[in-house]
Amino acid sequence: MKFVTIFNTTHSSEIAIIRNLLEEHDIQYVAPDMATDSASGIAGLGISGMRIQVPEDKQ
């Protein structure tokens, strides 16, 4: 299954809102950068932001 990015931000609070909305509507998603967010203060990791992705047929 191919996933596409529908949202990108550097703010974890915005990611949480989008994740909650998708879960409320039973839409499958992945947040591949969430682990990077927890390390964002170490050596500049996470500067590019975090993404929410959904299956290509759900965009």
Side-chain angles (χ1 to χ4, degrees):
M1 179 179 309
K2 183 176 179 185
F3 285 81
V4 294
T5 300
I6 61 163
F7 189 75
N8 188 16
T9 184
T10 57
H11 302 284
S12 59
S13 58
E14 292 177 352
I15 291 290
I17 292 168
I18 299 300
R19 289 174 62 188
N20 286 336
L21 288 170
L22 292 170
E23 289 170 3
E24 283 179 13
H25 295 282
D26 296 320
I27 298 173
Q28 181 183 7
Y29 70 90
V30 294
D33 307 309
M34 290 305 291
T36 304
D37 177 50
S38 63
S40 62
I42 301 171
L45 296 174
I47 291 173
S48 63
M50 297 164 283
R51 299 169 289 161
I52 293 287
Q53 298 180 322
V54 298
E56 187 173 44
D57 62 347
K58 297 291 184 189
Q59 63 175 334

